[in-house]
Amino acid sequence: MKENPSAPSRIRDLPSWLLGRAAARGRGLVSAALARHDMKMWHHVVLAAVADLGPVAQADLGRTVSLDPKDLVGVLNDLQAAGLVVRAPDPADRRKNAVSLTAGGEQRLEECTAAGKQANDELLAPLSAAERAQFLEMLRRISGVR
C-alpha cells in the first residue's frame, strides 16, 4: 500500500483521519467489485438486509439500513426492475409493502457477498490473519457495531 506523503503532518496520525482514508479505499474497492455485478453499494446493503429480515415492511427496512425513505424507494425500484426483489402487500398490514428476495436476488446477493469479501481481502492484504482478527475486533468496539 502506498503512503500519502502529501498528508498534512498535523493530521496524518489522527485515528479519525486514518479510518476515513481506509474507509474511502475500502469503499472504492467494494464499489468496483459490485459494479462488475451491475450493483451499487446501497443495492447490496438493501439486498443483505432483506435476506436477513424478509419479508420485511418497506418502512422497517429503511429504518434498519438508515436510508431515507425516498432514497430507499429508488433503490427498491432498481432492484425490482432487475428482478431481484418483489414488493407485495404485507399480509399482517395490507397498508404496508413487504419486500422479499427473489431467487435471482438470492443468487446476486451471494455473488456480491463473495465480491465484497474479495475486495475486503485486498484492503486487508497487508495484515496477517491474526492482525485482521484483532483489527476487526477493535473496529467493532470503536464503532459500536456487533
Side-chain angles (χ1 to χ4, degrees):
M1 181 170 21
K2 294 168 74 175
E3 261 188 65
N4 185 351
S6 64
S9 62
R10 293 176 191 228
I11 66 165
R12 83 171 49 127
D13 291 329
L14 293 175
S16 56
W17 187 81
L18 290 167
L19 285 168
R21 297 298 304 152
R25 183 167 180 263
R27 278 190 303 276
L29 291 167
V30 172
S31 291
L34 294 176
R36 290 190 285 277
H37 297 275
D38 297 320
M39 296 287 285
K40 295 180 181 172
M41 195 82 76
W42 275 113
H43 294 104
H44 185 219
V45 169
V46 169
L47 279 182
V50 172
D52 284 352
L53 305 169
V56 59
Q58 192 169 308
D60 293 337
L61 175 61
R63 281 189 292 276
T64 298
V65 299
S66 301
L67 190 58
D68 183 88
K70 68 180 179 308
D71 295 329
L72 177 62
V73 167
V75 170
L76 288 173
N77 286 346
D78 292 346
L79 294 172
Q80 190 166 12
L84 304 176
V85 299
V86 292
R87 288 182 277 195
D90 188 336
D93 184 347
R94 310 249 337 133
R95 297 170 296 169
K96 297 179 179 179
N97 276 329
V99 183
S100 301
L101 288 183
T102 64
E106 290 176 21
Q107 180 179 343
R108 182 73 59 88
L109 178 57
E110 291 303 317
E111 294 166 1
C112 289
T113 299
K117 182 185 178 320
Q118 186 174 11
N120 277 281
D121 285 346
E122 182 178 342
L123 175 68
L124 299 179
L127 305 178
S128 70
E131 288 170 328
R132 286 180 190 203
Q134 183 180 21
F135 180 65
L136 290 173
E137 177 54 30
M138 289 187 287
L139 285 175
R140 285 185 196 99
R141 285 186 359 222
I142 63 174
S143 70
V145 174
R146 282 285 159 192

